[in-house]
Amino acid sequence: MDTTVLASLVLAGSLLLLLAGGVWVALSLLTVGMVMMGLFTTAPMGSLIASTLWDSSWGWALTSLPLFIWMGEILFRSKLSADMFQGLAPWVSRLPGRLLHVNVLGCGIMAAVAGSSAVTCATIGRISVPELEKRGYPLNMTIGTLAGSGTLGLLIPPSIIMIVYGVTAEVSIARLFIAGVLPGLLLMVLFMGYTAIWSLLNREKMPPAEPAVPLLEKIYRSRRLIPVALLIASVVGSIYGGIATPTEAATIGVIGALILAAIGGGLTRESFREGLMAAMRTSCMISFIIACAACLTIAVAFVDIPRSLASWVEAMHLSPYALLAVLAVFMLILGCFLEGISIIVLTSSVMLPMVQAAGIDLLWFGIFVVILIEAAQITPPVGFNLFVLQSITGKDILAVTRAAIPYFLVLMLLLVLITAFPQIVTALPKMMAG
């Protein structure tokens, strides 16, 4: 048997064995990398592993990661979610679907604050599920809108998953952030469009319309959302305008979040400590996975698996569209068992050479990957958003999954749209470069 094929089988088998045994993802990656180097290369494993761990742990691009996570943790512990429902509800009460749109808009705003899918879904869900249930809205649509819209935390900047992809693929994080803006807004429109159509076709399942609210009252109820919107605009705008790097913009975000939390009364010594510790735990976990994945990438490169796979795919003469379809199915299958960061760091060393060989822009492919990981957040058995909603609503996982299926299909529609019209992704980064 060819050495590369044998090495690939050992790689897949040992990784599956470790992950199925409940070993931490980072330790699984590191162990498999060491096994690969020990069995199939003569390279000095100890010195290579040590230098790789060091080199991948101090990259400047990674410094924005803990700052954006901390910004989200600060606002997560403030009164933002309650203010969001009260502020958004009057503006959507006359649209088809009415208050169901609060889930979509609320998740969109929270996504720009938290950068995490599960946090976005949990924060908005804790407030909106009891409120919508009390008003008589169908629970399956409440769950569906939250499941779908919760994934916006991965696509709308600042996205933690984009930082991981940018570091792994050596793509500008600032350009990735800007590339996610239009697809993120389009996805919100698609979610709201489906919700509106469903409500028009199922009028009998919707509760009676609530009394209209005067314009000045709408503005008054939204007063606490305006500072958050300005904070988001300043963070993203400073990156787009070239005024600040992602790290500098994250610093602006943290300072702004601390000020808003203090003004709103949500900043206490306890909440500050909890937010800081939660951000540190999450950042260390992600950084550990990235560092250990770099060790596996080095081992895989020494065994020559990426080049062999790229040559194999090239010999199949797949068109770029066929390659994207194969990779999409592969990543959706992985998404049934792994969370997003693990998927990116596991597959980057194999996928990226193939994608580059096919002439596909790595910036565009990053958004393609993020949308696939969004879809993985609402696919069983390891769909994190499904677990969050199951804990909030008390419904079984099958009921939650059924409610999420239409929004999974909307995500697939977005994939088709950005593949047919790549300008949706590339237009803003090109303008930014100009």
Side-chain angles (χ1 to χ4, degrees):
M1 184 184 292
D2 182 71
T3 306
T4 306
V5 176
L6 179 61
S8 301
L9 291 174
V10 170
L11 168 64
S14 56
L15 194 54
L16 284 172
L17 186 65
L18 288 169
L19 291 173
V23 179
W24 287 1
V25 172
L27 292 179
S28 298
L29 296 173
L30 180 61
T31 302
V32 172
M34 294 174 71
V35 167
M36 297 283 288
M37 292 188 76
L39 291 179
F40 299 103
T41 74
T42 56
M45 182 176 64
S47 59
L48 270 176
I49 292 292
S51 61
T52 303
L53 284 171
W54 172 253
D55 289 340
S56 58
S57 64
W58 62 268
W60 176 248
L62 272 176
T63 54
S64 62
L65 179 73
L67 291 169
F68 277 126
I69 293 173
W70 191 22
M71 170 183 149
E73 291 289 345
I74 293 164
L75 291 173
F76 173 62
R77 284 166 172 76
S78 68
K79 300 173 183 176
L80 175 61
S81 53
D83 294 339
M84 202 174 291
F85 192 93
Q86 184 182 4
L88 292 175
W91 296 99
V92 298
S93 59
R94 313 312 294 174
L95 297 176
R98 297 195 286 280
L99 299 190
L100 289 171
H101 296 301
V102 171
N103 285 344
V104 181
L105 294 173
C107 285
I109 295 172
M110 198 67 202
V113 168
S116 162
S117 174
V119 170
T120 299
C121 187
T123 307
I124 303 302
R126 285 191 191 117
I127 297 294
S128 70
V129 168
E131 289 288 340
L132 294 177
E133 206 168 2
K134 184 172 67 180
R135 288 170 166 84
Y137 282 84
L139 186 58
N140 68 311
M141 285 302 291
T142 301
I143 292 172
T145 49
L146 280 170
S149 305
T151 64
L152 289 165
L154 302 181
L155 188 57
I156 293 180
S159 162
I160 306 306
I161 210 89
M162 284 186 189
I163 297 175
V164 175
Y165 176 84
V167 170
T168 307
E170 298 181 359
V171 174
S172 164
I173 293 171
R175 295 185 73 224
L176 270 172
F177 278 0
I178 300 306
V181 171
L182 285 182
L185 294 174
L186 176 58
L187 184 57
M188 289 174 67
V189 170
L190 292 174
F191 282 152
M192 292 178 72
Y194 170 77
T195 303
I197 292 169
W198 185 93
S199 66
L200 290 172
L201 295 176
N202 297 271
R203 294 177 190 271
E204 73 284 355
K205 296 181 181 179
M206 296 294 290
E210 297 185 10
V213 178
L215 178 61
L216 290 177
E217 178 65 18
K218 289 180 181 179
I219 295 172
Y220 179 75
R221 292 188 189 181
S222 306
R223 68 193 183 283
R224 291 181 182 170
L225 291 183
I226 294 171
V228 176
L230 291 175
L231 175 62
I232 294 165
S234 64
V235 169
V236 178
S238 62
I239 297 172
Y240 180 77
I243 300 168
T245 64
T247 303
E248 292 162 349
T251 307
I252 295 169
V254 168
I255 295 170
L258 286 169
I259 293 170
L260 291 182
I263 293 171
L267 184 63
T268 62
R269 178 176 296 196
E270 186 62 23
S271 67
F272 181 86
R273 189 190 67 81
E274 286 179 0
L276 188 59
M277 292 302 293
M280 185 181 69
R281 282 193 296 269
T282 305
S283 303
C284 289
M285 179 268 290
I286 294 171
S287 301
F288 191 28
I289 290 175
I290 292 173
C292 292
C295 296
L296 179 59
T297 301
I298 289 289
V300 165
F302 266 93
V303 182
D304 210 23
I305 292 175
R307 189 192 62 79
S308 300
L309 271 175
S311 302
W312 176 63
V313 171
E314 193 176 352
M316 293 171 66
H317 302 294
L318 290 175
S319 69
Y321 293 121
L323 175 62
L324 287 173
V326 170
L327 292 178
V329 172
F330 173 62
M331 292 193 71
L332 286 174
I333 292 171
L334 280 182
C336 292
F337 307 99
L338 296 171
E339 46 79 38
I341 293 169
S342 303
I343 293 172
I344 287 180
V345 297
L346 274 173
T347 58
S348 59
S349 60
V350 174
M351 281 200 313
L352 295 179
M354 291 192 290
V355 168
Q356 284 182 300
I360 297 169
D361 180 13
L362 286 184
L363 177 73
W364 178 90
F365 185 68
I367 303 302
F368 182 85
V369 166
V370 168
I371 295 170
L372 283 170
I373 291 174
E374 283 189 289
Q377 295 289 307
I378 51 176
T379 54
V382 189
F384 281 85
N385 285 16
L386 301 182
F387 292 143
V388 169
L389 290 169
Q390 184 186 20
S391 67
I392 291 173
T393 62
K395 293 289 182 180
D396 64 82
I397 195 70
L398 287 177
V400 175
T401 302
R402 280 196 298 270
I405 286 172
Y407 293 88
F408 173 86
L409 297 176
V410 171
L411 281 164
M412 295 300 100
L413 173 61
L414 179 63
L415 271 184
V416 172
L417 288 175
I418 69 162
T419 304
F421 306 102
Q423 300 86 353
I424 296 171
V425 173
T426 58
L428 284 182
K430 284 181 180 176
M431 289 171 63
M432 178 184 174

